[in-house]
Amino acid sequence: MILGVSQLDITPQPGVELSGFAARTQPSLGVLDPLFAKALYLADGPERLLWIHCDLLGFEREFVRGFREWAREKFSLRPDQVLLSATHTHSGPGTMRLQEVGAYEADYVAQLETKLREAAQAAVDQTEACDLTTVEGRLPLAVDRRRTTSSHTDPRVAAIGFRRREEATYAAVIVNYPMHPVALGASNRHISADIPGQAALALAGQIPGHPIVLVTNGACGNLNPPAENVTFAQIQAWGGQIADAVAPLLNRATSVPSAKLRVATRVLPLPLDVLTVEGVEATAAKALRNPGPIAEWGDKYRRAVEHWRRSLIARINNGHDCSQREAELFAIGLGDVILLGANAEVFSEFTDTLRRSSAKRVYLLGYANGDLGYLPTHAAYAEGGYEVEVAHFFYNSFRPRPGALEFLGQAAADLLRDL
């Protein structure tokens, strides 16, 4: 397998608004630690993959489409050979058009596009032969923040290493662990990669070659760290725990020279819980009587609900199709491991369901090629809560229809069989 890898600093200047928390006072005041874009270029016979992973909340679908078009023109890569993913840090600039959780930073996004092209070019220009290693550790760190009868966690930590053939040192490592990067909390006003940034830094120092480390997020729609609004020292400690869960395994792992790269994608319409104009009015009125969100977010919550009400009614009256959103599944086979990208905040039970239908080790890659919002389990709709009753106001969309996660799961199982 041929690998090219690069890393580029994408830290904005202090003063940008930070995206992810409605309760945060804006703008940012400084930098705790840098944000990076990390590019992998993989080639195995006719199969190729350009993957760029960023310390950001997420990407708009239009940004992904634009970058894929550039990669097609520049490198003759098909859209299904280009992946953009994000750690989902809640202490990065606004790269998604969300309501009242940090303004969209258009100037930063324009600069980001240029930097991601530079990172891609650097990875494509400097390639070397590498062998694959795959390991799995366990870390019971993340907690189910919903604390309901359907609570579920996923303690698996996966690591995929690319080891140089000549030196037997690592050029790059992909880590996957499902946990929301919200440890610094809404009280934090400083730019930070949160726990994934510290996990990457810790792991790079523990294995030979000081590799570029991509710490990716799993199915963490319901999973948080043990606490929020913690100190920077605490996120260093938790990041170190993620690194410690896989570093010894990587140091002992045996390479698999014959491992193959396989890529397959599927784009499908995800059904939404569509309302009439009267239903929108009634839902907004009910939301504005909900004491919990009002107590937590005040006028920001009221403005988000009102914007949702006006926007959805306008779309309905203008004849727009509001019945579905574009979901994308992006499957990457690396040896005996499959990473499955999804452009959503997927509940953790999703991955376990997929594992029961595949003989491979399967890990979900969240916030891949966009983020259409939360995909709760069917049980979560009956239980209610933020992800079901509130989050779609900030995403300015109808929520996914109950059963949408299970619908996507069936499509994912079919895609894995095809892969």
Side-chain angles (χ1 to χ4, degrees), residues 25-220:
T25 301
Q26 302 284 3
S28 59
L29 301 176
V31 178
L32 285 177
D33 56 302
L35 310 183
F36 290 103
K38 301 173 182 181
L40 292 183
Y41 174 70
L42 296 172
D44 181 19
E47 189 62 88
R48 294 191 293 165
L49 171 66
L50 174 62
W51 179 0
I52 300 185
H53 184 62
C54 296
D55 293 316
L56 297 170
L57 188 76
F59 295 100
E60 294 278 352
R61 283 291 281 176
E62 65 187 35
F63 185 94
V64 176
R65 292 190 188 96
F67 187 82
R68 283 173 161 172
E69 177 60 24
W70 172 82
R72 184 191 65 79
E73 295 174 357
K74 186 70 176 179
F75 305 121
S76 299
L77 290 168
R78 303 187 308 268
D80 61 357
Q81 295 176 317
V82 179
L83 169 66
L84 297 182
S85 60
T87 61
H88 200 57
T89 177
H90 282 48
S91 294
T95 53
M96 296 176 59
R97 293 181 176 88
L98 302 174
Q99 299 301 313
E100 302 296 335
V101 294
Y104 179 74
E105 296 285 352
D107 290 344
Y108 175 82
V109 172
Q111 297 167 12
L112 177 68
E113 185 174 24
T114 299
K115 290 187 176 182
L116 298 196
R117 292 180 180 184
E118 292 175 9
Q121 187 70 66
V124 172
D125 286 346
Q126 298 184 15
T127 60
E128 57 186 321
C130 286
D131 294 328
L132 202 68
T133 64
T134 62
V135 301
E136 179 182 282
R138 295 182 71 83
L139 178 63
L141 179 62
V143 299
D144 189 313
R145 68 187 185 191
R146 291 170 53 78
R147 296 179 176 87
T148 61
T149 56
S150 69
S151 289
H152 178 275
T153 60
D154 182 359
R156 294 172 177 85
V157 188
I160 303 167
F162 299 89
R163 185 178 274 159
R164 300 181 179 94
R165 288 180 183 168
E166 298 298 323
E167 305 172 16
T169 60
Y170 284 102
V173 177
I174 301 166
V175 176
N176 183 264
Y177 184 63
M179 184 169 69
H180 254 82
V182 294
L184 290 170
S187 63
N188 172 56
R189 294 183 62 185
H190 288 71
I191 295 160
S192 174
D194 208 283
I195 294 173
Q198 295 307 301
L201 184 63
L203 184 58
Q206 293 185 42
I207 56 180
H210 203 83
I212 291 176
V213 178
L214 289 68
V215 177
T216 65
N217 222 321
C220 68

Side-chain angles (χ1 to χ4, degrees), residues 292-314:
I294 292 173
E296 185 171 1
W297 301 305
D299 286 342
K300 288 185 177 181
Y301 172 70
R302 294 185 181 94
R303 289 196 297 268
V305 172
E306 180 57 26
H307 184 273
W308 177 87
R309 185 190 68 81
R310 293 196 309 270
S311 177
L312 268 294
I313 289 175

Side-chain angles (χ1 to χ4, degrees), residues 232-418:
F232 189 70
Q234 182 63 74
I235 72 164
Q236 288 177 308
W238 285 335
Q241 286 183 253
I242 296 173
D244 292 345
V246 293
L249 303 175
L250 287 167
N251 286 328
R252 297 193 302 266
T254 301
S255 297
V256 185
S258 59
K260 296 297 182 182
L261 167 69
R262 306 170 310 284
V263 178
T265 62
R266 182 167 297 176
V267 177
L268 61 158
L270 190 78
L272 301 182
D273 197 9
V274 180
L275 302 172
T276 63
V277 169
E278 292 75 18
V280 170
E281 294 280 15
T283 299
K286 180 181 178 181
L288 292 175
R289 295 193 300 269
N290 190 342
I294 292 173
E296 185 171 1
W297 301 305
D299 286 342
K300 288 185 177 181
Y301 172 70
R302 294 185 181 94
R303 289 196 297 268
V305 172
E306 180 57 26
H307 184 273
W308 177 87
R309 185 190 68 81
R310 293 196 309 270
S311 177
L312 268 294
I313 289 175
R315 291 180 213 173
I316 294 169
N317 288 337
N318 289 331
H320 292 174
D321 182 6
C322 302
S323 65
Q324 60 192 32
R325 294 283 300 277
E326 187 176 79
E328 179 176 353
L329 297 170
F330 196 107
I332 306 168
L334 290 165
D336 62 350
V337 167
I338 296 176
L339 295 173
L340 179 69
N343 60 324
E345 304 205 47
V346 183
F347 272 39
S348 60
E349 193 173 319
F350 181 86
T351 316
D352 274 356
T353 301
L354 278 184
R355 288 167 179 149
R356 290 192 286 270
S357 65
S358 176
K360 301 286 187 179
R361 284 185 286 164
V362 180
Y363 307 95
L364 188 94
L365 178 66
Y367 316 101
N369 297 315
D371 180 6
L372 54 80
Y374 283 94
L375 277 180
T377 60
H378 204 283
Y381 280 88
E383 296 165 342
Y386 167 79
E387 302 87 354
V388 174
E389 299 171 327
V390 176
H392 57 286
F393 297 131
F394 297 117
Y395 275 95
N396 195 33
S397 173
F398 289 125
R399 67 182 187 177
R401 184 186 302 169
L405 178 69
E406 292 75 15
F407 165 78
L408 194 67
Q410 184 57 59
D414 294 342
L415 179 62
L416 296 193
R417 282 192 290 270
D418 293 345

